[in-house]
C-alpha cells in the first residue's frame, strides 16, 4: 500500500494556544500539513452555540465568531513548525488581494523549512456580504486572482496585469523564498472550478462527502482539465479536507454522529448535492450550496432545529470519516485507491464531547502513523 500524507485543518477560534498544542502533536506524529480556516465568523449562530448541550467549548469561548486572523496565527507557528507544512484551508481573493496573499505566503516560506500551502477558494457569503464586501462572480474573480498569484510566485520582477477585477501596472514584486515556493491548492468541486484547478493548481483541496466513487470521478475531471492546459496532472496533489468523528468504539462514534453539533453541520454546511447523493432532499432546497450560502446569524433556528431532528443516520455516516481509528484508516485507504495522496482531517467530534476532544489527539497520532507507513 502507498503511504498517504496526513494533515490537520480547523478554524482559528479565539485561543491560538490550541494551535500550538495541535502543532506539537502533529510534529510528534510526523504529520505533513497544518491548515487553518480564514474566516471572519463561524458557521454557528451565537444563540445555538451557547444553548445547553450543543458544545462543551462554549464554556471557554463565549462566541463562536471570535476568530483570530489566520495569517497571523500561521506566522506565530512558523518558527516551530519543523517539517510540518503550514497553510490556509482555505482563503479567498475577495477580502484579500492576490498580491497580499502572495506576500504573506512568501514571507511564511522564508520563515519555515517547507513550502507553505495556499489553500484558496472562491469564498462564502458569510465572510463577505455582512462586512460590505461584494460576493458577486466569485469564481471569475478567483480565476483572475490565480493569474496574479502565479505571476507573483514566478518572479522576481514587475507585474503588468489588466483584468476585469485586478489591475497591476509595472508593479514591483521581488520577494522570493528560494527552494520553497508556496504551492497553490484550489478548493474545487464543480466542473468550472475543477477546470480552474487543472489550469493553476499545485494541489486539489475539495471538501465533500468522502465517497471513493465521487472522489475518483472528480479527480478524472481535474486530470482531463490539466491535460487540456498542457500540464502534467501528476504534478497536482489530490487531497481532501473532511470531517472525522473518531472514538474508542463504534457505539461511541455513532453517538457523536448524532450530537447536535454534528447534526447542525449536516443541515447547514452540507450542500443539496451531498444530501442528494443518498437520495434525500435538502431542507433548504435543491439549489442550496452549503457553507457557501450559509448565513449564520440570519438562520431560522426553529426550522433548523426541526431539520436537525430529522437527519437520518445514513446521511451522517456518509458525510464523515467515522468510527474507530481502524475504521477511519480503512476509509482513507479506500480513498487512496481512488487517487487520494493527501488528506486533511477536521476534528468534527472535538466540539461534540470533551472526552472525545481529548481522545482525538491520541487518535490522530495513530491514524497519521498508520497511513505514513503505507
Amino acid at each position: 500500500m502507498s503511504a498517504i500524507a496526513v494533515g490537520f485543518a480547523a478554524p482559528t477560534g479565539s485561543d491560538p494556544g490550541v494551535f500550538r498544542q495541535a502543532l506539537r502533536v502533529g510534529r510528534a506524529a510526523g504529520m505533513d500539513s497544518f491548515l487553518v480556516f480564514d474566516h471572519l465568523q463561524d458557521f454557528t449562530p451565537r444563540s445555538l452555540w451557547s444553548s445547553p448541550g450543543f458544545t462543551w467549548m462554549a464554556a471557554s469561548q463565549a462566541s463562536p465568531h471570535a476568530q483570530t486572523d489566520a495569517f497571523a496565527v500561521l506566522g506565530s507557528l512558523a518558527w516551530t513548525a519543523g517539517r510540518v507544512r503550514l497553510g490556509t484551508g482555505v482563503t479567498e481573493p475577495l477580502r484579500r488581494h492576490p498580491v497580499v496573499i502572495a506576500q504573506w505566503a512568501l514571507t511564511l516560506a522564508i520563515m519555515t523549512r517547507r513550502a507553505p500551502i495556499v489553500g484558496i477558494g472562491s469564498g462564502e457569503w458569510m465572510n463577505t456580504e455582512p462586512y460590505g464586501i461584494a460576493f458577486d462572480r466569485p469564481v471569475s474573480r478567483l480565476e483572475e486572482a490565480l493569474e496574479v498569484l502565479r505571476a507573483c510566485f514566478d518572479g522576481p520582477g514587475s507585474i503588468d496585469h489588466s483584468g476585469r477585477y485586478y489591475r497591476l501596472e509595472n508593479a514591483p514584486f521581488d520577494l522570493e523564498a528560494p527552494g520553497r515556493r508556496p504551492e497553490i491548492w484550489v478548493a474545487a468541486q464543480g466542473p468550472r472550478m475543477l477546470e480552474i484547478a487543472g489550469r493553476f493548481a499545485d494541489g486539489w483541496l475539495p471538501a465533500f462527502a468522502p465517497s471513493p466513487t465521487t472522489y475518483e470521478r472528480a479527480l478524472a475531471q481535474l486530470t482531463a482539465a490539466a491535460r487540456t492546459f498542457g500540464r502534467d496532472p501528476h504534478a497536482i496533489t489530490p487531497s481532501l479536507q473532511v470531517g472525522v468523528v473518531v472514538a474508542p468504539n463504534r457505539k461511541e462514534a455513532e453517538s457523536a454522529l448524532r450530537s447536535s453539533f454534528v447534526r447542525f453541520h449536516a443541515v447547514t454546511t452540507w450542500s443539496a448535492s451531498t444530501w442528494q447523493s443518498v437520495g434525500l432532499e435538502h431542507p433548504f432546497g435543491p439549489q442550496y450550496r452549503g457553507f457557501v450560502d450559509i448565513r449564520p446569524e440570519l438562520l431560522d433556528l426553529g426550522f433548523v432545529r426541526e431539520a436537525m431532528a430529522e437527519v437520518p443516520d445514513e446521511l451522517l455516516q456518509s458525510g464523515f470519516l467515522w468510527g474507530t481509528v481502524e475504521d477511519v484508516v480503512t476509509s482513507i485507504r479506500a480513498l487512496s485507491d481512488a487517487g487520494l495522496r493527501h488528506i486533511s482531517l477536521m476534528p468534527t467530534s472535538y466540539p461534540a464531547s470533551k472526552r472525545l476532544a481529548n481522545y482525538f489527539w491520541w487518535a490522530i497520532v495513530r491514524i497519521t502513523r498508520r497511513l505514513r507507513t503505507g
Side-chain angles (χ1 to χ4, degrees):
M1 293 183 181
S2 300
I4 304 165
V6 180
F8 173 87
T12 55
S14 60
D15 181 8
V18 173
F19 282 84
R20 289 192 291 271
Q21 175 190 352
L23 182 58
R24 285 194 294 270
V25 172
R27 287 190 62 178
M31 194 173 287
D32 180 77
S33 64
F34 191 94
L35 307 182
V36 298
F37 301 174
D38 183 17
H39 284 191
L40 287 170
Q41 62 173 301
D42 188 65
F43 302 111
T44 314
R46 296 186 188 95
S47 58
L48 185 60
W49 176 266
S50 59
S51 64
F54 186 76
T55 177
W56 65 274
M57 294 174 62
S60 58
Q61 182 174 331
S63 170
H65 303 320
Q67 297 289 311
T68 50
D69 178 74
F71 286 12
V73 168
L74 290 165
S76 74
L77 300 174
W79 301 115
T80 57
R83 293 199 55 77
V84 178
R85 302 179 68 187
L86 301 180
T88 48
V90 298
T91 189
E92 35 78 4
L94 304 173
R95 291 172 296 138
R96 303 189 190 267
H97 193 285
V99 172
V100 173
I101 295 174
Q103 182 186 37
W104 158 76
L106 284 161
T107 301
L108 193 63
I110 292 168
M111 298 165 66
T112 53
R113 291 174 59 185
R114 297 183 66 201
I117 293 170
V118 183
I120 190 167
S122 57
E124 307 89 14
W125 182 94
M126 71 180 199
N127 289 310
T128 52
E129 289 284 351
Y131 305 97
I133 301 165
F135 187 49
D136 63 305
R137 300 186 181 277
V139 176
S140 295
R141 289 178 185 271
L142 172 65
E143 185 172 22
E144 188 177 324
L146 290 172
E147 293 182 24
V148 176
L149 198 56
R150 274 285 176 221
C152 292
F153 290 163
D154 289 341
S158 293
I159 302 172
D160 288 291
H161 177 89
S162 181
R164 183 174 183 178
Y165 306 106
Y166 305 103
R167 184 176 181 85
L168 289 80
E169 186 173 347
N170 194 28
F173 194 87
D174 291 345
L175 187 62
E176 293 183 279
R180 294 191 301 282
R181 188 173 82 161
E183 292 189 0
I184 299 170
W185 289 28
V186 177
Q189 297 182 182
R192 187 175 173 203
M193 285 291 289
L194 287 166
E195 180 180 316
I196 291 170
R199 179 182 174 192
F200 292 104
D202 301 301
W204 174 44
L205 190 62
F208 54 64
S211 158
T213 301
T214 302
Y215 190 87
E216 188 172 30
R217 186 182 304 123
L219 180 56
Q221 292 178 293
L222 175 68
T223 297
R227 288 182 174 140
T228 297
F229 289 103
R231 301 187 64 212
D232 177 7
H234 298 293
I236 303 173
T237 302
S239 185
L240 176 68
Q241 189 163 276
V242 64
V244 59
V245 175
V246 62
N249 55 72
R250 288 176 66 89
K251 183 177 180 180
E252 198 166 348
E254 287 176 346
S255 178
L257 277 174
R258 299 187 184 109
S259 68
S260 295
F261 180 87
V262 175
R263 287 176 178 271
F264 170 79
H265 280 274
V267 171
T268 60
T269 68
W270 290 3
S271 68
S273 61
T274 300
W275 283 59
Q276 289 164 1
S277 67
V278 292
L280 298 172
E281 182 177 338
H282 198 288
F284 292 157
Q287 303 305 316
Y288 187 65
R289 296 176 297 172
F291 61 83
V292 175
D293 291 335
I294 187 174
R295 306 181 179 199
E297 294 301 329
L298 301 180
L299 288 170
D300 179 340
L301 289 187
F303 178 81
V304 169
R305 287 183 184 277
E306 289 178 5
M308 287 165 58
E310 298 299 322
V311 176
D313 288 351
E314 178 189 11
L315 176 66
L316 295 170
Q317 292 173 8
S318 71
F320 296 105
L321 302 179
W322 72 280
T324 63
V325 165
E326 186 61 36
D327 291 329
V328 172
V329 168
T330 298
S331 296
I332 295 173
R333 291 208 184 283
L335 287 162
S336 175
D337 291 340
L340 178 82
R341 286 166 34 204
H342 176 284
I343 191 155
S344 190
L345 301 176
M346 298 182 291
T348 305
S349 50
Y350 191 100
S353 158
K354 193 168 186 178
R355 166 180 159 81
L356 292 184
N358 292 328
Y359 180 77
F360 176 80
W361 300 118
W362 180 90
I364 196 71
V365 171
R366 271 70 189 173
I367 292 169
T368 301
R369 289 177 175 169
R370 288 283 306 279
L371 294 170
R372 283 182 68 238
T373 57

